[in-house]
Amino acid sequence: MSEPAASRPPNRLAREKSPYLLQHARNPVDWYAWGEEAFAKARAENKPILLSIGYSTCHWCHVMERESFENEAVAELLNRWFVSIKVDREERPDVDRIYMTAMQALGLGGGWPLNAFLTPELEPFFGGTYFPPDSRGGRPGMMELLPRVHEAWTTRRDDLADTGRRVLEACGSAQE
């Protein structure tokens, strides 16, 4: 059973101004805001990043928070294997534009919440939109997806980084 959100200590997002980020300030996920603190941790620990982008009035963003990001088992996997970054697309449309374009280039669709897996160098290699905690309705669940991404990171890191570099190069040349 999950601990009620109100009784959990706040995470780093409690220091932010964005209403959307503040909505996630009591998730059990060890969230970081977009910035050098998170990037440095990913590089130092050689962990991939889960970048989750949404906004305060997004229905599916709230559903994913309630179902997946408030789920203690999902949070435990995220906290162990990833550096998790939460972004408000209304506060950082530049970040949203880059990774939305990248997910579309990878053939992974688009929409919010946008959840992208990145290398520590911020290169996207996989992602999607809404992921429930467990697979259902043809959607992969976080409890199945996170171990698969972790395994791919530990066994095929160079391939994933190469994919991420190529996607960003293609997106950059498409925007010129």
Side-chain angles (χ1 to χ4, degrees), residues 16-35:
E16 299 300 315
K17 292 180 178 65
S18 156
Y20 179 67
L21 298 184
L22 290 170
Q23 289 171 359
H24 293 270
R26 291 200 181 265
N27 292 163
V29 175
D30 187 18
W31 289 116
Y32 285 79
W34 180 263

Side-chain angles (χ1 to χ4, degrees), residues 105-139:
L106 283 166
L108 298 169
W112 297 276
L114 178 67
N115 291 285
F117 292 93
L118 318 176
T119 68
E121 292 72 35
L122 309 180
E123 301 154 334
F125 59 85
F126 185 72
T129 57
Y130 163 73
F131 294 115
D134 298 297
S135 298
R136 67 172 183 249
R139 290 190 174 274

Side-chain angles (χ1 to χ4, degrees), residues 136-175:
R136 67 172 183 249
R139 290 190 174 274
M142 294 291 274
M143 294 303 295
E144 295 81 25
L145 180 63
L146 296 174
R148 290 194 335 234
V149 173
H150 171 70
E151 162 131 10
W153 181 254
T154 58
T155 61
R156 299 185 4 252
R157 184 172 310 169
D158 291 342
D159 293 338
L160 299 179
D162 185 53
T163 296
R165 275 189 297 280
R166 286 187 286 122
V167 167
L168 286 183
E169 286 170 10
C171 291
S173 63
Q175 293 177 2

Side-chain angles (χ1 to χ4, degrees), residues 29 35 60 62 91 96 106 120 145:
V29 175
W60 287 104
H62 292 291
E91 186 178 70
D96 179 55
L106 283 166
L145 180 63

